[in-house]
């Protein structure tokens, strides 16, 4: 089934979502590699093929190794590959993306806050929220990955 092109059908909505995406990428103090790491992990949890494709490519372009990139879904088992900040960001990404299960626990919040501080933690949470919104649009309207067989 063909689905609506949400960009074309709701350009103002696309602009609003794009504004948050722009803020996250250009106006936070978060490193771009960390942002793309979060974007990819959130997209993996949500199962957005389009976004997984894009953010895997973004990480590789930024010089993140293939070894590290392919182990993001199981980062708990390969913690040595990730910095303290990356581990905290991945943990908080999982906590917030699965908020219906985790309820963003006090323990997880305290752990993330200890690494990021208030401002960067708010910006990290906006990063997670932005990708969750984009994933829901991508999945709902069946955006296709760029990958070719």
């Amino acid at each position: 089934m063909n689905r609506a092109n949400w960009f074309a059908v709701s350009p103002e909505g696309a602009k609003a979502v794009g504004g948050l995406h722009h803020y996250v990428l250009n106006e936070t103090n978060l490193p771009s590699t960390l942002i793309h790491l979060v974007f990819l992990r959130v997209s993996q949890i949500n199962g957005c093929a389009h976004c997984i494709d894009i953010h895997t490519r973004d990480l590789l372009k930024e010089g993140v190794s293939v070894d590290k990139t392919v182990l993001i879904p199981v980062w708990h088992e390969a913690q040595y590959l990730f910095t303290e900040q990356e581990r905290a960001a991945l943990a908080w990404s999982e906590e917030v993306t699965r908020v219906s299960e985790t309820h963003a626990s006090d323990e997880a919040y305290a752990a993330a806050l200890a690494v990021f501080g208030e401002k960067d933690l708010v910006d990290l949470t906006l990063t997670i929220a932005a990708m969750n919104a984009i994933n829901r649009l991508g999945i709902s309207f069946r955006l296709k990955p760029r990958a070719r067989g």
Side-chain angles (χ1 to χ4, degrees):
M1 164 185 268
N2 288 330
R3 301 203 181 183
N5 176 338
W6 71 276
F7 294 94
V9 173
S10 183
E12 290 303 314
K15 184 178 176 182
V17 172
L20 179 55
H21 187 262
H22 176 84
Y23 171 78
V24 164
L25 287 173
N26 300 294
E27 299 178 40
T28 70
N29 291 323
L30 301 173
S32 62
T33 301
L34 183 78
I35 293 168
H36 292 297
L37 181 73
V38 167
F39 282 173
L40 179 55
R41 185 65 191 121
V42 169
S43 298
Q44 290 169 337
I45 293 166
N46 290 325
C48 183
H50 176 80
C51 295
I52 290 169
D53 184 31
I54 287 172
H55 300 297
T56 298
R57 293 170 193 275
D58 289 340
L59 284 170
L60 295 174
K61 283 181 204 167
E62 292 209 15
V64 176
S65 72
V66 171
D67 289 345
K68 183 174 179 174
T69 302
V70 300
L71 290 172
I72 291 169
V74 292
W75 68 270
H76 293 275
E77 296 175 43
Q79 291 190 30
Y80 64 93
L81 291 173
F82 300 90
T83 67
E84 178 186 25
Q85 188 180 52
E86 290 170 339
R87 290 190 306 269
L90 289 165
W92 187 241
S93 296
E94 292 173 357
E95 189 81 10
V96 172
T97 299
R98 295 180 174 128
V99 72
S100 68
E101 300 165 22
T102 68
H103 305 285
S105 72
D106 289 343
E107 296 80 13
Y109 178 83
L113 183 62
V115 174
F116 285 98
E118 283 188 344
K119 172 70 167 101
D120 286 344
L121 183 55
V122 169
D123 285 342
L124 176 61
T125 308
L126 287 166
T127 301
I128 297 162
M131 189 47 50
N132 271 291
I134 292 166
N135 287 165
R136 278 147 180 76
L137 291 160
I139 293 165
S140 298
F141 295 105
R142 301 291 191 261
L143 294 179
K144 302 215 180 318
R146 288 188 234 162
R148 300 288 175 246

